[in-house]
Amino acid sequence: MKNLELNEKSLVYHLKQYRAKKFLKYYPETTSTNDIAKKMCHEGKNKELLVVTDYQTAGKGRTGRSFYSPKGAGIYFSVVHEISGNEKNFDLISSIAGLAVRDTLYNMFDIDAKIKWPNDILVNDKKICGILCEIINENGRPRYVVIGIGLNIEKIDFPDELEYTATSIGNEYQGKEELDHNEILVDIVNNIDRYVIRNNALNSYDNSDVISRLKAHSATVGQLVHVIKPDGEFDARAVDIDVNGGLVISNAEGTSTLTSGEVVHIR
C-alpha cells in the first residue's frame, strides 16, 4: 500500500497527529541523513530539524562503519536537539535514543528488543537498528546533538555477511499490524522528545526510572565482553549501568566505567 511507504505527505500527517513540531526535510535518496543534518546546523537551519530518507547511499554506523540501508526496506533519519551546555546527564542521550526505539518496537509490535551498550538494538541477538549520535560545536563548545537512526522494517534477505547478525521487524513480527514506515518513524521521534523534552531527562536530578529501564532491557549487563578502546583492548564482565548511562565493567584489574568505546559480546 502506497501510504505505508515512507513519503513526505504521510510523515507530515503523523507529525501533526503526534503534535510533533519538527522542521521536516524529506529526501527520497541521499548520502547520509546525519551529514545533511550537520550541514544544515552549520547553516543555522537547525530548529527542531528532522531529516528523513528512504535510501542512504553512504549510511554511517559507529566507529566509521557503513550501515546497510537498502531502498524501501527501512527508515533512516536524523533528529537534532539543541544543547544548552548545562545538561547534567548529557551522556544519557545515546541510551535515551536506544530506549525510544525499544519502546516503539514493544508498544507497536510486541517485539521485546534489547539494548547492546551503548545503543545498538537487538532482537534475538540480531541487530535490528543502529544509532549514531554526533556533536556539532559552535564557538568552541557543543551546541547541537544529531541523533541518527537506521531501523530495518520490511522482511529482508540480508547479504551473506549479515545473514546471522541482522534482522528486521518484518523478519521478527508475526502479527497482522501494518508496517507503516511513517508512523513508526514519528513514534520513535515522539519517544525521544518524551524523554528529552517532556521528562527533561538530560537535566533531571533523578533519572532512576531511565537507568532502571536501561538495566531491565540491556543485552550487555551480565555478559562477558571484549572492550575496544583507542588505547587498548581487553576482556571484562559487564556488571551494571551507572547513573550517567556508562557501562560498569569488572576484571582482574578492578572495576571501572566505560563512557565511550566499543564492546563485543563474547559468546
Side-chain angles (χ1 to χ4, degrees):
M1 296 176 64
K2 184 69 175 177
N3 65 317
L4 300 184
E5 298 174 0
L6 205 60
N7 66 88
E8 189 169 10
K9 183 177 180 180
S10 292
L11 284 168
V12 170
Y13 169 79
H14 284 293
L15 285 168
K16 288 180 178 178
Q17 292 296 106
Y18 280 76
R19 299 181 180 178
K21 297 178 180 178
K22 298 296 178 188
F23 174 40
L24 174 66
K25 295 294 290 182
Y26 171 74
Y27 301 88
E29 177 180 325
T30 191
T31 52
S32 160
T33 58
N34 265 29
D35 286 348
I36 297 293
K38 288 189 293 182
K39 182 175 183 292
M40 293 183 70
C41 281
H42 289 303
E43 294 171 349
K45 303 172 183 177
N46 44 59
K47 188 68 174 178
E48 302 291 351
L49 178 61
L50 172 62
V51 182
V52 179
T53 190
D54 191 45
Y55 176 51
Q56 293 187 125
T57 58
K60 297 191 300 180
R62 294 182 69 249
T63 63
R65 296 190 183 97
S66 62
F67 185 82
Y68 182 67
S69 46
K71 186 174 179 59
I75 52 176
Y76 318 104
F77 64 98
S78 299
V79 60
V80 175
H81 282 278
E82 189 171 354
I83 303 168
S84 70
N86 299 314
E87 286 81 1
K88 303 175 184 67
N89 315 301
F90 182 71
D91 287 342
L92 274 178
I93 188 68
S94 182
S95 297
I96 282 171
L99 275 179
V101 175
R102 193 267 166 197
D103 290 349
T104 291
L105 293 176
Y106 185 77
N107 293 333
M108 294 186 74
F109 305 105
D110 200 28
I111 292 176
D112 187 16
K114 300 296 183 183
I115 303 172
K116 175 182 174 290
W117 190 88
N119 53 16
D120 280 346
I121 310 302
L122 308 182
V123 178
N124 296 323
D125 295 323
K126 294 182 177 182
K127 184 173 177 177
I128 197 171
C129 175
I131 300 172
L132 176 64
C133 295
E134 297 185 275
I135 303 298
I136 305 297
N137 290 323
E138 191 175 272
N139 298 323
R141 69 177 185 86
R143 193 71 176 88
Y144 306 97
V145 59
V146 177
I147 304 171
I149 295 177
L151 173 64
N152 301 324
I153 295 182
E154 298 296 333
K155 191 174 181 65
I156 300 172
D157 291 325
F158 288 97
D160 291 345
E161 65 271 20
L162 297 175
E163 181 180 0
Y164 299 105
T165 59
T167 191
S168 69
I169 295 175
N171 288 46
E172 302 292 335
Y173 179 58
Q174 303 301 319
K176 296 182 179 179
E177 187 75 23
E178 293 176 319
L179 302 181
D180 186 334
H181 295 205
N182 307 282
E183 185 176 11
I184 293 168
L185 188 153
V186 174
D187 193 76
I188 294 171
V189 171
N190 181 65
N191 285 337
I192 294 173
D193 282 354
R194 173 166 54 85
Y195 284 111
V196 174
I197 299 174
R198 297 191 289 279
N199 292 354
N200 201 27
L202 300 184
N203 288 287
S204 174
Y205 283 100
D206 182 9
N207 271 320
S208 55
D209 179 61
V210 171
I211 300 303
S212 177
R213 289 175 57 76
L214 286 172
K215 293 179 184 180
H217 304 304
S218 175
T220 303
V221 171
Q223 295 279 347
L224 287 173
V225 295
H226 183 69
V227 179
I228 304 171
K229 299 180 68 176
D231 58 350
E233 302 182 15
F234 56 91
D235 293 342
R237 183 174 292 277
V239 296
D240 204 357
I241 304 288
D242 81 349
V243 294
N244 295 311
L247 182 68
V248 182
I249 58 172
S250 178
N251 61 10
E253 304 298 320
T255 300
S256 59
T257 301
L258 296 176
T259 58
S260 62
E262 179 99 3
V263 299
V264 178
H265 292 179
I266 300 174
R267 299 182 183 277

